[in-house]
Amino acid sequence: MKHLSLSALALTGLIAAPAVADNYIASNWLAPVHILNEQPYQKLAEELKNDPNANLTFEVYSSGSLVPAKSTMQGIRDNVAQLGVVYPGYSPSELPINNVLNDLVFTADNALAAALAYTEVGITNASVQEEWNNNGGVFLGGYSTPVYNFICMEPIRTPEDAKGKKIRTAGGAQTNWVEALGGVPVSVPIGDVYSGLSRGSLDCTMSDPTNLDKGNKFWEVAKSVTTLPMGVVMGATYVANTDFWQGLDADQRSALLDRMALGLARTQIVYAADVEAAFAGSRERGLEIVAPDASLTEQLASFQSDFVVNLPKKSADERGIADPSALIAEFQSAEAAWKERLSGIDSNDPEAVAQLIRDEIYGKADMAALGQ
C-alpha cells in the first residue's frame, strides 16, 4: 500500500508503524533524468527494491507531479511524501538559518566539499536540526551545484568588462557582486535566459556550467565562459518526514543511510563530470573559455571577504535570527576539513566518497535521535 498517513495509523494502536513501513513515497520536482533525481532518487528506489533485506521501497514522483518545488517542505510535513528534495531558497521564512548557509557559499570554490560540509552541519548542528524539525522534517543530506561562472555574449576578463553589462543573477550575494562590478543585475527565470542572451536583453548569466549543454543549452547562443569561481547553491537532497524516520527500525535506517551516502557521492561526482563535458563541448563549438584577469580575481576575493564579515549582522537584520557567527565559523571549519579529507582519496570514486560520508557523518552522529 502507499503510505500516506503513518502518524494516523500509529495513533490507532492497531498497527505498529514498521508493519506498514515497506512502501513509501518520495517527491522530486525535477525530471527523472536530472542529476538531482536520477542519481539520488531513481537509483535509490531501484537499489532498495532489489534488496530483499532492506524491507523498504519508494515510489518516486518526479517533475513536481505530487507536490511542486515550493510546496515540497509542506508535503513532507503533512506526510504526503515521506522523502523529498528541498531547496531552502523556496522557503526563506521557514528556513532562515539554512538560507544563511546558502548565502555563505557564495565564497565556495569546491562543490563537493560544500555539499559534504552542509550535510555534516545539517545533521550535527542543533539550530539547523531544530529548524528542519520545526518544519516537520529530518535532514539527511545535502547537495551543491557546481561552482558558478559567467556565461556571456562578450567575454568578461576584468572588472571593467562587466561595467554596464546586463547580468542575470539568482539574487542575494550574486546581485550585490554584480552591482559591485558596475554591472546591471537582472532577475528573470532561468528558462528565459536563452532568449535573453539571443535577443540582447541579457549580456551574461551567472550559472553553473552544466547549463551550457544540459537542458538550457546556453552554448547554442553564448560566446564565452569566464572561469571565475563565484560560489555554489546548496539544497537538501534528502528530507524525511519525522514520523516516517522515527518509525523505521535500525536495519531499515541502516539500509537507507548506506544508499543515501552513495546517492550523495554519485550526485556530486556526476555534476563534476558534466561540467568537464560541458567545457569540452563548448570549446568544440567555438566558445571562448576565459581565465579571469588577476584584477577580477582580486576584486572577487575582496568582495567575498567583506561579505563574510558583514553576513552575521545582515542575516540577523534581514532574516530575523540570532547572531549566526558561530554557525558560519562551524560551516567554514567543516568545509576546510572536507577539502582535507577529500585530498586523501580519489574524489571521482563514488564508493570512496560514500565511505567517507558513512564514516565521518552517519557513523559519528546519533542518527536515531534526529527528529526527536
Side-chain angles (χ1 to χ4, degrees):
M1 64 180 288
K2 292 178 183 177
H3 187 69
L4 295 174
S5 185
L6 173 61
S7 57
L9 285 171
L11 286 171
T12 66
L14 299 176
I15 265 182
V20 295
D22 56 346
N23 191 9
Y24 293 100
I25 291 174
S27 179
N28 193 304
W29 37 271
L30 297 148
V33 295
H34 191 282
I35 293 170
L36 279 170
N37 190 334
E38 180 182 34
Q39 299 302 320
Y41 275 80
Q42 301 298 325
K43 290 187 176 181
L44 172 74
E46 188 65 24
E47 288 165 356
L48 288 172
K49 178 181 178 182
N50 292 329
D51 182 356
N53 297 319
N55 190 29
L56 184 66
T57 62
F58 280 95
E59 182 176 358
V60 181
Y61 286 76
S62 300
S63 305
S65 60
L66 185 66
V67 289
K70 293 184 178 181
S71 302
T72 300
M73 189 68 253
Q74 180 181 344
I76 293 169
R77 181 198 68 197
D78 294 343
N79 217 15
V80 174
Q82 286 70 61
L83 192 68
V85 176
V86 176
Y87 172 52
Y90 290 148
S91 304
S93 59
E94 292 85 0
L95 299 168
I97 296 173
N98 279 270
N99 277 288
V100 171
L101 295 177
N102 235 331
D103 291 338
L104 177 63
V105 289
F106 179 72
T107 64
D109 59 5
N110 183 316
L112 180 54
L116 300 185
Y118 184 44
T119 297
E120 179 181 343
V121 171
I123 287 173
T124 60
N125 181 276
S127 64
V128 181
Q129 279 189 42
E130 183 180 15
E131 183 169 89
W132 288 108
N133 295 347
N134 289 342
N135 284 279
V138 176
F139 173 87
L140 297 173
Y143 68 86
S144 167
T145 66
V147 174
Y148 273 51
N149 295 151
F150 281 132
I151 299 174
C152 299
M153 301 306 291
E154 296 180 357
I156 292 179
R157 290 184 174 84
T158 68
E160 289 72 26
D161 292 333
K163 288 182 178 178
K165 292 285 198 306
K166 300 183 292 293
I167 303 174
R168 188 264 181 182
T169 74
Q174 291 186 6
T175 295
N176 297 335
W177 163 236
V178 169
E179 290 174 339
L181 287 172
V184 180
V186 179
S187 177
V188 297
I190 195 168
D192 294 340
V193 171
Y194 185 107
S195 62
L197 292 172
S198 62
R199 295 174 183 173
S201 60
L202 291 173
D203 298 304
C204 298
T205 182
M206 290 180 64
S207 174
D208 85 70
T210 63
N211 281 302
L212 285 162
D213 65 336
K214 300 292 183 184
N216 293 295
K217 296 192 178 298
F218 293 155
W219 65 13
E220 293 181 352
V221 290
K223 304 299 182 185
S224 70
V225 182
T226 303
T227 58
L228 184 70
M230 297 178 289
V232 300
V233 173
M234 302 187 306
T237 313
Y238 302 117
V239 179
N241 169 272
T242 303
D243 288 340
F244 156 73
W245 175 252
Q246 291 300 326
L248 298 178
D249 62 34
D251 289 340
Q252 288 175 313
R253 283 201 196 108
S254 178
L256 189 57
L257 292 172
D258 184 66
R259 288 163 178 83
M260 283 182 168
L262 191 55
L264 296 173
R266 286 188 301 219
T267 297
Q268 298 305 136
I269 289 168
V270 172
Y271 255 141
D274 281 359
V275 168
E276 293 304 312
F279 278 133
S282 295
R283 289 188 181 94
E284 291 173 1
R285 285 160 176 77
L287 275 75
E288 186 177 5
I289 310 300
V290 178
D293 183 80
S295 60
L296 183 57
T297 300
E298 289 166 6
Q299 185 162 338
L300 175 63
S302 176
F303 177 88
Q304 289 176 328
S305 178
D306 291 343
F307 176 78
V308 173
V309 169
N310 295 324
L311 185 57
K313 184 178 187 307
K314 179 180 173 66
S315 299
D317 291 345
E318 296 181 2
R319 300 197 183 278
I321 60 174
D323 181 1
S325 296
L327 174 64
I328 290 170
E330 181 181 346
F331 183 89
Q332 290 177 314
S333 176
E335 190 177 22
W338 276 104
K339 286 182 179 181
E340 180 66 24
R341 291 185 190 112
L342 291 167
S343 70
I345 66 165
D346 179 0
S347 59
N348 292 312
D349 179 351
E351 185 51 50
V353 175
Q355 194 57 48
L356 270 183
I357 297 170
R358 296 179 188 117
D359 293 343
E360 299 294 334
I361 303 177
Y362 296 153
K364 292 183 177 179
D366 183 358
M367 300 303 294
L370 291 182
Q372 295 282 16

